[in-house]
Amino acid sequence: MIFNSFAYILVFLPISLLGYLFLRRTRICNLWLLTCSIYFYAVGNWWWLVPFFISSLLDYYIGLKIFTSQNKNIRKYFLFISVSINLLILSIFKYGPWIIESASLIIHPLNAVNFVIIGLPAGISFYTFQSMSYSIDIYRKDFIPHKGIIDYLSFVAFFPQLIAGPIMRAKDLLPQLVKKRDLISADVVSSAIFMILFGLFQKIVLADNFGTLVEFVSEYLEPGSVGSLPPGLGYIYAYAFAGQIYCDFAAYSTIARGSAKLFNINLMRNFLTPYFSSNPSEFWKRWHISLSTWLRDYVYIPLGGNRGTAALMIRNLFITMFLCGLWHGAGVLFIVWGLWHGLLLVIYKKFPLDLYLNRYLGKFGKVLSIIIFFNLVCIGWIFFRAPIEHIPAIFNSIILFPSSCIEAIKANIPYIKLAFNGTSPFLRTLLDIGWNLITSQGVMFICSWFLLLLYTVLFLFDFIGYRNKCEFPETFSKMKTIFQVIIIVVLLYLMLFFGRREANEFIYFAF
């Protein structure tokens, strides 16, 4: 079930909430939430429940064994079982098809083996990491396990964050589920509903329209098409996908947080205006925060973190970002994307460009550093999104664009001369030049304006959040009533006139 569907908004969420309100003071409240969460997940495919229950039940029982054992070696043994089996399950479903497909390039010509490709259960990377952190935290004595299996399963399966996060820790979410929760106030209700509304706006108006641009550019590279991109469309591809993946994933997280609030549950913030980052360290504190902190606490710091020599720190960064890329998907380009960010982290630690620009150029340097780093992030998004066979054409389009612009300007020099020597009216000349540029760069011109419009809307909302050091929906409760009404009306009209009608899946469902 997806958030941007009538089934979720008008049927599932109201029924789940109504049942919770009746049962919230009883022992079976979490059983109701678990039942709703299982149904929410099984609607996609019932067999997804098999790896889910294997992973979650394994960690529940292993967590109890680790907690009750006083022998350090036995505790390590059970932790090893938990981590190994979880990673094995994840590898079979997520990386098995990739490994089999790669191996079949060698084996298939010999007709040695026929392989069956297994589908990927939605959200398996999210709930595997969430469940696995439960065992690790108990081993570290950071958390005391809860003996109620229904409460534990409700923690892993809690439907707002089940499929695409945020990845919650047991110590943050489980205590909220165990306690008897009071009715939420009218202010919290309005804040929760606005989060859901704003998330839907991010998805159907921004993300899906950014996606339209990405698909439009991709059509140039599909079999049977020209096979190359006009100069400049590579920029459209990179910038549009940067907007799509951010708005799409942030939309899911925002709707998840809003939905959870209705049940008096607070999920962690997963984004914090990441495209206002001026360096990679800041970016990973603002982008997919639940994953970046998970990798920091369970991979980077155990490897040694910043301790030791510079060479060890670089090794730790590259291992962490390699795993970050691999977590996102089975494929060489996901790994390349992860290593690209690892490289950026290392470069900025050695040569902090943003600090130099801030020091010598002040506020302009801050803006410039944000623009530079945003473009570096967009380079990475090309590897993340594009098939490997399309990447040369995309980068070729990017490289050729400046020279094509110069050629367009040269072609209009006669018109410019006519304007300045008085032979032709200046305004008419400007119109002629503009028309010539539109006809010569027509596709690029139209796509650019559409892209600029979407980014203008995105920038306005994110800039308000950036100035308030929070996400835009979190500023809603601080607004005066008149401004709240205006914002809601504006969002509704934008969704009505510019929202995509089809219920497109969220990108991170694939992870």
Side-chain angles (χ1 to χ4, degrees):
M1 188 176 296
I2 56 178
F3 287 159
N4 54 322
S5 66
F6 290 117
Y8 178 80
I9 297 296
L10 301 179
V11 181
F12 176 82
L13 185 59
I15 292 175
S16 301
L17 185 59
L18 188 64
Y20 161 76
L21 292 174
F22 277 112
L23 301 172
R24 64 186 180 84
R25 289 291 183 180
T26 68
R27 291 185 177 182
I28 62 172
C29 179
N30 282 342
L31 179 60
W32 168 254
L33 285 181
L34 177 60
T35 303
C36 293
S37 298
I38 290 173
Y39 174 79
F40 174 86
Y41 192 50
V43 164
N45 197 319
W46 68 266
W47 77 263
W48 290 350
L49 295 173
V50 176
F52 168 79
F53 277 113
I54 292 175
S55 177
S56 54
L57 291 174
L58 169 78
D59 286 312
Y60 172 75
Y61 286 108
I62 283 183
L64 292 177
K65 291 290 185 181
I66 293 174
F67 180 71
T68 56
S69 176
Q70 301 300 317
N71 187 307
K72 187 176 181 180
N73 289 330
I74 292 177
R75 288 164 56 84
K76 282 186 177 179
Y77 170 74
F78 279 115
L79 179 64
F80 175 78
I81 291 176
S82 170
V83 173
S84 299
I85 295 181
N86 273 295
L87 293 180
L88 178 63
I89 293 171
L90 184 61
S91 298
I92 288 172
F93 287 103
K94 190 161 188 171
Y95 308 112
W98 175 43
I99 294 170
I100 290 172
E101 186 178 352
S102 301
S104 67
L105 295 176
I106 301 173
I107 298 173
H108 182 68
L110 303 176
N111 293 317
V113 182
N114 291 321
F115 293 109
V116 177
I117 303 298
I118 303 173
L120 178 67
I124 188 170
S125 298
F126 289 91
Y127 69 70
T128 300
F129 271 32
Q130 182 158 313
S131 177
M132 191 162 57
S133 68
Y134 176 81
S135 301
I136 298 172
D137 284 347
I138 294 173
Y139 174 80
R140 292 177 171 182
K141 299 183 178 180
D142 291 337
F143 183 73
I144 297 174
H146 186 71
K147 294 184 179 180
I149 191 169
I150 297 299
D151 295 331
Y152 166 79
L153 288 174
S154 299
F155 146 70
V156 183
F158 188 47
F159 71 85
Q161 49 88 67
L162 173 60
I163 298 180
I167 304 169
M168 296 292 294
R169 314 284 177 89
K171 61 184 178 182
D172 297 323
L173 180 54
L174 195 47
Q176 295 187 68
L177 289 165
V178 171
K179 71 179 183 181
K180 290 182 173 63
R181 298 183 292 284
D182 297 325
L183 286 173
I184 58 177
S185 66
D187 288 340
V188 176
V189 172
S190 63
S191 176
I193 292 175
F194 182 74
M195 276 189 164
I196 294 172
L197 175 66
F198 189 77
L200 290 171
F201 161 76
Q202 284 180 299
K203 171 61 177 171
I204 68 175
V205 175
L206 295 178
D208 288 352
N209 280 311
F210 275 124
T212 300
L213 279 175
V214 175
E215 294 300 325
F216 174 77
V217 176
S218 298
E219 288 177 1
Y220 278 84
L221 302 171
E222 294 300 324
S225 62
V226 178
S228 62
L229 282 182
L233 283 189
Y235 289 100
I236 301 296
Y237 186 92
Y239 294 148
F241 183 67
Q244 181 190 12
I245 194 168
Y246 169 46
C247 292
D248 192 279
F249 196 12
Y252 185 95
S253 299
T254 304
I255 298 172
R257 293 180 68 200
S259 299
K261 271 183 177 290
L262 294 174
F263 296 87
N264 207 359
I265 296 292
N266 291 311
L267 299 180
M268 70 178 294
R269 179 193 291 148
N270 213 17
F271 290 90
L272 185 58
T273 59
Y275 289 155
F276 281 92
S277 303
S278 57
N279 61 68
S281 296
E282 183 183 5
F283 177 78
W284 285 105
K285 291 176 183 176
R286 294 174 174 272
W287 176 274
H288 203 170
I289 300 169
S290 62
L291 175 64
S292 60
T293 53
W294 198 100
L295 291 171
R296 180 198 66 196
D297 295 342
Y298 299 114
V299 178
Y300 183 66
I301 292 176
L303 284 172
N306 296 332
R307 303 186 302 274
T309 64
L312 287 175
M313 181 199 70
I314 292 172
R315 181 205 67 178
N316 298 338
L317 282 173
F318 272 110
I319 291 174
T320 303
M321 297 314 298
F322 168 84
L323 293 175
C324 180
L326 195 61
W327 179 91
H328 279 84
V332 174
L333 292 181
F334 286 112
I335 296 173
V336 170
W337 172 80
L339 294 177
W340 169 252
H341 276 277
L343 179 63
L344 292 178
L345 283 163
V346 171
I347 291 174
Y348 269 78
K349 281 187 178 294
K350 292 297 182 182
F351 305 100
L353 177 63
D354 57 317
L355 295 182
Y356 297 145
L357 291 173
N358 290 349
R359 183 182 304 166
Y360 296 112
L361 298 177
K363 291 183 178 179
F364 176 74
K366 174 70 173 178
V367 174
L368 185 59
S369 64
I370 290 173
I371 293 172
I372 291 172
F373 185 71
F374 173 71
N375 281 275
L376 293 174
V377 169
C378 288
I379 291 174
W381 287 135
I382 294 174
F383 295 107
F384 192 96
R385 170 63 172 80
I388 193 167
E389 63 271 15
H390 293 174
I391 289 178
I394 293 170
F395 278 104
N396 187 57
S397 171
I398 291 172
I399 294 169
L400 291 178
F401 183 62
S403 60
S404 71
C405 289
I406 293 172
E407 292 299 322
I409 293 171
K410 286 180 178 179
N412 285 280
I413 287 178
Y415 292 96
I416 298 172
K417 289 180 177 179
L418 289 174
F420 280 98
N421 63 22
T423 307
S424 174
F426 190 73
L427 181 59
R428 173 60 185 272
T429 303
L430 288 180
L431 291 174
D432 288 341
I433 294 171
W435 177 252
N436 288 335
L437 290 174
I438 290 172
T439 53
S440 62
Q441 302 284 337
V443 174
M444 181 64 186
F445 181 83
I446 295 171
C447 288
S448 297
W449 276 107
F450 188 32
L451 186 68
L452 180 62
L453 177 63
L454 292 173
Y455 264 109
T456 299
V457 176
L458 174 60
F459 173 82
L460 289 175
F461 285 118
D462 264 21
F463 184 71
I464 294 172
Y466 178 73
R467 291 299 300 268
N468 288 276
K469 298 181 179 179
C470 64
E471 290 185 290
F472 175 77
E474 295 171 332
T475 67
F476 182 76
S477 59
K478 303 174 185 177
M479 298 178 189
K480 293 181 179 180
T481 304
I482 182 63
F483 291 114
Q484 291 179 337
V485 172
I486 291 172
I487 289 293
I488 290 173
V489 171
V490 168
L491 292 181
L492 288 173
Y493 270 96
L494 287 173
M495 291 166 64
L496 178 63
F497 289 106
F498 300 104
R500 297 293 298 276
R501 294 295 184 264
E502 63 272 20
N504 295 313
E505 281 196 350
F506 291 84
I507 292 175
Y508 266 72
F509 278 20
F511 305 135

